[in-house]
Amino acid sequence: MIVRDLAEAERTERRVDSKGWSSVRLLLKDDGMGFSFHITTIEAAAELPMHYKHHFESVYCISGEGEIEDLATGERHQIRPGVMYALNNNDRHILRARSELKLACVFNPPVTGREVHGPDGAYPADPAADLARSA
Amino acid sequence: MIVRDLAEAERTERRVDSKGWSSVRLLLKDDGMGFSFHITTIEAAAELPMHYKHHFESVYCISGEGEIEDLATGERHQIRPGVMYALNNNDRHILRARSELKLACVFNPPVTGREVHGPDGAYPADPAADLARSA
């Protein structure tokens, strides 16, 4: 059993900071769960174009308000507490925060913690990962 | 892209109710993410012995207070907002809620939504699932 506390983890290298957001990785690949689990904070007024080419991601809004724009369709979905979106097609999207967003994020395959964002805004593929897609 | 709202999903068969808890499955196996994602409510004063023999589960506390007892070691860990536990050894445990708990839960392999709890309190294995354990 692994037990971790966000308040402690955010004072360690589990926390990563970038422009407009920070993320605390409570579970990473090394934990062997087959997914990673992150609590991510998006700053108010941030507008983040994102494209996870090599990962599926689900995002559940714990607090805050914003919207996600699906760049394939132009559709905009409102984000508020209780709304979840899942990028099951490696969807290109823009996330906009009207107020600070607290999000619970799951990645498959799990993030290793050693990724850096490429110039395209994506995390690179983990060469060691099996992309555990369900049929 | 999949977008779902807890407030709507809990009025559908995505919500399951049992003694002392209810759970709304925002992502299930059929969504093809390789994990399932549930928002689970544990009633105040509930004491739930659990043993997921065939699934890894991570649990993040959004609100409420309680404790988890690891039945292998007897250790008790306090649950409060921001605490996450991960059952990486299919750990037998008891979850106790001092107040109502709201939990964000991830299962690997994903729950199909058709499970019923066996007499041992576990979900059965999904015969079609690949247990996507990381090395």
Side-chain angles (χ1 to χ4, degrees), chain A residues 105-122:
Chain A
C105 307
V106 186
F107 281 81
N108 171 28
V111 166
T112 66
R114 292 181 294 276
E115 290 85 357
V116 288
H117 279 80
D120 56 358

Side-chain angles (χ1 to χ4, degrees), chain B residues 15-76:
Chain B
R15 176 178 171 140
V16 290
D17 284 88
S18 190
K19 188 172 162 45
W21 61 271
S22 65
S23 187
V24 182
R25 287 87 173 262
L26 290 174
L27 289 172
L28 287 165
K29 183 188 180 195
D30 284 351
D31 293 308
M33 297 288 287
F35 57 84
S36 59
F37 183 84
H38 315 186
I39 299 295
T40 297
T41 303
I42 312 289
E43 293 172 11
E47 179 165 324
L48 303 173
M50 286 188 277
H51 188 198
Y52 291 111
K53 297 177 182 175
H54 310 291
H55 299 78
F56 291 148
E57 185 194 16
S58 74
V59 176
Y60 177 79
C61 178
I62 296 173
S63 64
E65 302 212 337
E67 69 173 25
I68 179 172
E69 180 176 349
D70 183 339
L71 290 174
T73 64
E75 264 187 297
R76 293 174 181 219

